[in-house]
Amino acid sequence: MKVQLISMDKQNPNANIPGDTPMSEYTVPETNFEVSDFFELDDWIEEDPAFVESGEPQNPGYTVNEVANSSGNSSVYLEGDSSSGGSRREKKELKELDKVAFKTKSEIEILDDGFKWRKYGKKMVKNSPNPRNYYKCSVEGCTVKKRVERDKDDQRYVVTTYEGIHNHQGPQL
DNA sequence: CGGCTTTGACCCGCGC
DNA sequence: GCGCGGGTCAAAGCCG
């Protein structure tokens, strides 16, 4: 599983919205923003062959996933079961999930990335004095998850980790 | 009233 | 086998 760290610091002027950059570390001049503002995810990675080959259904998914996919392993997240009785056991279906972490300098950790999230858990982690929050895309059928926590070293930063692939285009409908 | 938070309990994998 | 760490569930409350 891969984790990409993208740090954004308004101090750095040489910011550039990725267009075809290697996505390792970007610096975006921002103050208070919305991820969706500078994240032209759609054209950030557009048609990643690997992504396409992974047999994704309808969707272009979200960059986040594509980024991860380009890392080499495609992942198919099957929650397997939308019927009743589904339980956590279903999860074994999961392959390796791709993850992408964003590190953002921000006061608030609820950055609006255009999707509607439903929080489903909070946890205090050992290596950090800060809690970690768990969110899930509230679109039916979409199993994308997101985790948000403050950087333990720099509380000014917020680390957001996306996991999974959206099975729908834009934000919730 | 319906959807989302909250929060403690529960579950699971892993290391000892 | 047990305990710990981390992730998830779900009941109840909150808020629009």
Side-chain angles (χ1 to χ4, degrees):
Chain A
M1 144 271 269
K2 298 290 181 188
V3 175
Q4 296 292 335
L5 268 193
I6 300 177
S7 70
M8 302 165 211
D9 191 322
K10 60 179 173 186
Q11 308 296 27
N12 287 286
N14 51 336
N16 252 324
I17 303 310
D20 55 327
T21 2
M23 81 205 77
S24 30
E25 233 187 52
Y26 297 113
T27 322
V28 180
E30 276 299 338
T31 19
N32 47 331
F33 51 78
E34 291 193 17
V35 185
S36 45
D37 284 345
F38 56 87
F39 261 95
E40 289 308 329
L41 302 173
D42 286 332
D43 27 58
W44 180 0
I45 311 192
E46 24 193 288
E47 311 277 3
D48 179 338
F51 184 70
V52 177
E53 286 175 18
S54 65
E56 271 317 300
Q58 55 279 51
N59 81 162
Y62 217 39
T63 341
V64 176
N65 318 304
E66 298 176 68
V67 172
N69 280 317
S70 62
S71 68
N73 28 21
S74 56
S75 70
V76 185
Y77 187 172
L78 326 165
E79 179 59 85
D81 173 314
S82 45
S83 57
S84 60
S87 71
R88 55 179 56 208
R89 264 131 219 125
E90 249 60 41
K91 287 206 257 102
K92 56 163 149 219
E93 297 287 329
L94 294 184
K95 293 276 187 78
E96 213 176 313
L97 292 185
D98 289 311
K99 296 185 182 177
V100 183
F102 297 90
K103 192 171 173 184
T104 311
K105 187 176 206 167
S106 161
E107 292 286 322
I108 42 102
E109 57 275 311
I110 321 297
L111 305 130
D112 182 15
D113 51 9
F115 285 94
K116 180 188 267 175
W117 303 92
R118 182 174 70 264
K119 176 186 277 189
Y120 66 90
K122 176 169 62 174
K123 195 78 172 174
M124 278 311 218
V125 287
K126 193 115 210 257
N127 265 5
S128 170
N130 318 285
R132 174 179 294 166
N133 299 287
Y134 300 88
Y135 299 85
K136 190 158 54 179
C137 182
S138 54
V139 174
E140 135 83 53
C142 188
T143 53
V144 177
K145 279 175 278 186
K146 163 192 191 181
R147 176 191 310 149
V148 179
E149 67 181 300
R150 298 205 89 86
D151 186 314
K152 73 178 174 65
D153 300 315
D154 278 311
Q155 299 242 334
R156 304 167 297 168
Y157 288 89
V158 170
V159 179
T160 303
T161 306
Y162 289 89
E163 181 175 319
I165 300 173
H166 283 289
N167 63 176
H168 53 95
Q169 294 271 16
Q172 72 310 324
L173 318 177

